[in-house]
Amino acid sequence: INMGAVFEVPGWKEFTERCQGVVDKFEEKKLVLMNKMANICLSEISPLIPVDTSRLVSSFQVGVVTPNEAEIGTNVEYALYVNDGHVQHRRFLPISYLSAGGRGKYIQPGNTKGIMLKEKYIPGKHFLENGMRQAEPRLKTIGESFMQQIGREIEGGG
């Protein structure tokens, strides 16, 4: 599933171009930074993911990390529907037990076991966007701190 949110540090591209070839092990240092940033994002997004069976929240993880980008995602097919919202079409759901919001109840046995779902719009939870918005101050701080540290290294101060 390709769910994307983008965070960019202002001046990052110009900064990295100036540091390339000047800073010792710069690519490795950027890789460490990207891993930290990805984990910050994951830590802010995860608590906002609705929990029913825990499948969705436990499936989110840090994916591919390069010195310039980091992915956070899931392979759960319904993640986009939960995040963005969707239309629930009217249909019969053959079940004998229903669990929602941490509460469960048995469906009354009868000639048919199940419930009829009504057609309605299920609003999105927007956990990805909200988590990234919450992560933004921490990402900005860690990015600025990294640039200051590299700046001191270039100047020979450590």
Side-chain angles (χ1 to χ4, degrees), residues 19-38:
C19 294
Q20 209 68 32
V22 177
V23 176
D24 194 33
K25 297 183 181 177
F26 188 56
E27 291 300 301
E28 290 91 337
K29 291 174 182 176
K30 286 193 319 183
L31 187 60
V32 169
L33 175 67
M34 286 299 125
N35 271 302
K36 286 180 184 176
M37 288 182 145

Side-chain angles (χ1 to χ4, degrees), residues 94-110:
I95 59 169
S96 58
Y97 184 79
L98 179 65
S99 172
R103 295 187 176 134
K105 82 175 200 181
Y106 284 94
I107 305 300
Q108 294 295 324

Side-chain angles (χ1 to χ4, degrees), residues 42-113:
L42 187 60
S43 73
E44 294 290 345
I45 292 167
S46 293
L48 302 177
I49 300 171
V51 177
D52 185 6
T53 64
S54 297
R55 178 178 177 219
L56 182 57
V57 71
S58 65
S59 73
F60 264 84
Q61 58 190 2
V62 173
V64 176
V65 179
T66 72
N68 298 310
E69 294 180 337
E71 288 179 356
I72 302 162
T74 179
N75 60 358
V76 173
E77 65 281 351
Y78 59 85
L80 283 172
Y81 299 123
V82 175
N83 189 71
D84 297 346
H86 64 283
V87 173
Q88 171 187 281
H89 297 289
R90 184 177 191 273
R91 69 183 190 280
F92 182 74
L93 187 60
I95 59 169
S96 58
Y97 184 79
L98 179 65
S99 172
R103 295 187 176 134
K105 82 175 200 181
Y106 284 94
I107 305 300
Q108 294 295 324
N111 292 341
T112 60
K113 284 189 173 189

Side-chain angles (χ1 to χ4, degrees), residues 87-147:
V87 173
Q88 171 187 281
H89 297 289
R90 184 177 191 273
R91 69 183 190 280
F92 182 74
L93 187 60
I95 59 169
S96 58
Y97 184 79
L98 179 65
S99 172
R103 295 187 176 134
K105 82 175 200 181
Y106 284 94
I107 305 300
Q108 294 295 324
N111 292 341
T112 60
K113 284 189 173 189
I115 57 174
M116 182 61 73
L117 297 177
K118 296 177 184 174
E119 176 121 1
K120 65 180 177 179
Y121 179 74
I122 309 293
K125 299 296 183 180
H126 306 290
F127 56 84
L128 186 61
E129 296 86 348
N130 293 335
M132 288 299 293
R133 194 169 18 264
Q134 285 180 206
E136 196 168 317
R138 290 173 65 194
L139 296 174
K140 186 175 184 219
T141 299
I142 196 172
E144 289 172 352
S145 175
F146 177 82
M147 292 193 299

